[in-house]
Amino acid sequence: MEKSTHTSTRVFGSQESLGVKGIAIIMLICHHCFLGSARYKGQAVTFIIPENIWNYVALFFKICVCIFAFISAYGITWKIKSSCHFDSAEQTQKDFRNILLSRLIRLLTSFILVFLLVDVFALFYDPGRFAEIYGTSFPVCIAYFILDMLGLAQLLHTPTFLETYWYYSLAIVIILLVPCFYLLIRKIGTVPFLGLIAVINFTVSIPNHNFWRYLLCIAVGVSCAYNNTIVKIMNWNIIKSEKCNHLIKFLLEFLLLFVLMVLRQGPLMDTLYPFWDAVIPVVFTSFCCEFIVVIPGLRQILIFLGIYSANIFIIHNYIRKVWFYDFTYSFKYPLLIVTVLLLISLTLSICIEQIKKLIHFKTFTNLLIEKICR
């Protein structure tokens, strides 16, 4: 937060994006635990807040996916915008190639390490799961295993060790798609670009349902980074008085989020799914960065969660659903269930990062990127 003459100049950088990821990962755990009564079937869960409200809000928290997708597209676009040189076609191709390969390698190496660590645990705790998921027909089962390890199972419709891994197929698509979107928006401008993607999204049949859901969200993430939209919204002054401006913006953005939640959960939820999950991340990210992530103490906690959010994303469903279902819901109260699951997942994530340090994982990844980019 840097002070200017009469108001605060706000930014949306790496720390803010981590803070928003921290909020999103909490929403993700709430969503997976309580989006419907079937999630805790047979468990003695005690609701202080009415159960239907928990289910309604938890179902809405599915927006955590579009928030992750939006931030990923935003970050890659910002990297392209700040690092690429457009002096010549050859230099542009080189810059794009390096950014694309670097992102893919970092994404996949981190995922593969956690994937293998979980599989090693499964060898001892649940050895039958491999045959159950991939089958026993050799070499097809090995091929399925490798495709799953590379994050391609959902994209290619092959068996996956955990349904949560589907997001990595989308993450790969985002990395491959954003440079193309960036060139397109640079060529034709923001409004024609978003109009084109919206038309494609709602008129062209896309077999991959998850890709259909988040195509427009990715495009909006690219557009917001290209135009610095989040920072402009955060620094937008309705009136001159800073305190009054802050209060008015808080109320307006909170009300807008509430209206968007009601509309998204309404009759047009499925029909306009790409639209809701393209608009909501813009409002949500702006609101959180201006009013939530800036709160001292809470900011540090959210950033800390954001740092470990990828590992938490992978691990938590093994605890909640696959292996420790009864244990997860044994804490009875929804807030306690979410808190305990979050803390256990966070602890395991920290352990994974310590393993990375022991094996010099970051050094290995950097060397791999350097070799391949050369």
Side-chain angles (χ1 to χ4, degrees), residues 32-97:
H32 281 164
C33 286
F34 296 105
L35 67 90
S37 57
R39 290 290 168 124
Y40 43 89
K41 186 177 180 181
Q43 302 296 319
V45 179
T46 303
F47 291 91
I48 297 174
I49 298 172
E51 181 179 359
N52 62 323
I53 294 177
W54 263 103
N55 295 156
Y56 185 89
V57 174
L59 183 60
F60 173 69
F61 279 178
K62 174 74 173 179
I63 63 163
C64 62
V65 177
C66 66
I67 293 165
F68 282 122
F70 175 84
I71 291 175
S72 296
Y74 192 105
I76 297 168
T77 305
W78 194 262
K79 180 67 175 178
I80 292 171
K81 185 180 176 182
S82 58
S83 302
C84 286
H85 305 87
F86 294 90
D87 301 329
S88 66
E90 183 180 352
Q91 183 62 43
T92 302
Q93 290 174 11
K94 182 180 178 181
D95 292 338
F96 272 53
R97 180 198 67 193

Side-chain angles (χ1 to χ4, degrees), residues 17-290:
S17 67
L18 284 173
V20 176
K21 284 182 179 181
I23 297 172
I25 203 65
I26 297 171
M27 295 170 70
L28 176 74
I29 291 179
C30 290
H31 172 71
H32 281 164
C33 286
F34 296 105
L35 67 90
S37 57
R39 290 290 168 124
Y40 43 89
K41 186 177 180 181
Q43 302 296 319
V45 179
T46 303
F47 291 91
I48 297 174
I49 298 172
E51 181 179 359
N52 62 323
I53 294 177
W54 263 103
N55 295 156
Y56 185 89
V57 174
L59 183 60
F60 173 69
F61 279 178
K62 174 74 173 179
I63 63 163
C64 62
V65 177
C66 66
I67 293 165
F68 282 122
F70 175 84
I71 291 175
S72 296
Y74 192 105
I76 297 168
T77 305
W78 194 262
K79 180 67 175 178
I80 292 171
K81 185 180 176 182
S82 58
S83 302
C84 286
H85 305 87
F86 294 90
D87 301 329
S88 66
E90 183 180 352
Q91 183 62 43
T92 302
Q93 290 174 11
K94 182 180 178 181
D95 292 338
F96 272 53
R97 180 198 67 193
N98 290 344
I99 291 172
L100 188 149
L101 288 174
S102 175
R103 289 273 176 166
L104 274 177
I105 292 167
R106 292 187 192 282
L107 174 78
L108 291 178
T109 51
S110 293
F111 173 66
I112 289 169
L113 177 65
V114 181
F115 180 92
L116 293 176
L117 288 172
V118 169
D119 286 0
V120 169
F121 175 81
L123 277 173
F124 297 95
Y125 188 81
D126 188 11
R129 186 170 176 82
F130 289 87
E132 180 186 341
I133 299 297
Y134 302 120
T136 55
S137 178
F138 185 85
V140 176
C141 61
I142 302 301
Y144 286 157
F145 175 82
I146 293 171
L147 289 174
D148 200 14
M149 183 175 65
L150 294 174
L152 298 171
Q154 196 276 332
L155 203 60
L156 301 176
H157 305 290
T158 55
T160 181
F161 207 65
L162 184 68
E163 291 177 3
T164 312
Y165 291 167
W166 75 265
Y167 182 80
Y168 279 85
S169 289
L170 179 64
I172 291 169
V173 169
I174 292 172
I175 292 171
L176 296 174
L177 202 58
V178 167
C180 303
F181 277 4
Y182 185 85
L183 290 175
L184 186 58
I185 196 173
R186 194 169 181 268
K187 187 75 173 177
I188 67 175
T190 302
V191 175
F193 166 71
L194 291 177
L196 174 63
I197 301 303
V199 168
I200 292 171
N201 210 162
F202 285 103
T203 60
V204 177
S205 176
I206 301 174
N208 189 302
H209 197 60
N210 287 319
F211 182 46
W212 173 80
R213 283 179 169 182
Y214 301 108
L215 178 63
L216 188 58
C217 172
I218 298 166
V220 169
V222 172
S223 173
C224 285
Y226 184 77
N227 295 288
N228 208 18
T229 305
I230 300 299
V231 173
K232 288 178 181 177
I233 294 173
M234 290 164 62
N235 289 290
W236 174 47
N237 293 317
I238 300 173
I239 57 176
K240 289 184 178 180
S241 171
E242 183 178 2
K243 290 183 179 179
C244 291
N245 181 69
H246 205 59
L247 178 60
I248 292 169
K249 285 183 69 179
F250 177 88
L251 294 173
L252 285 176
E253 290 179 19
F254 184 83
L255 179 62
L256 180 56
L257 280 173
F258 179 79
V259 171
L260 286 170
M261 178 181 72
V262 173
L263 290 174
R264 186 186 182 277
Q265 303 303 98
L268 294 176
M269 177 180 178
D270 293 329
T271 306
L272 295 178
Y273 200 108
F275 175 78
W276 304 130
D277 280 28
V279 173
I280 289 173
V282 181
V283 182
F284 183 87
T285 302
S286 303
F287 178 83
C288 289
C289 287
E290 187 168 357

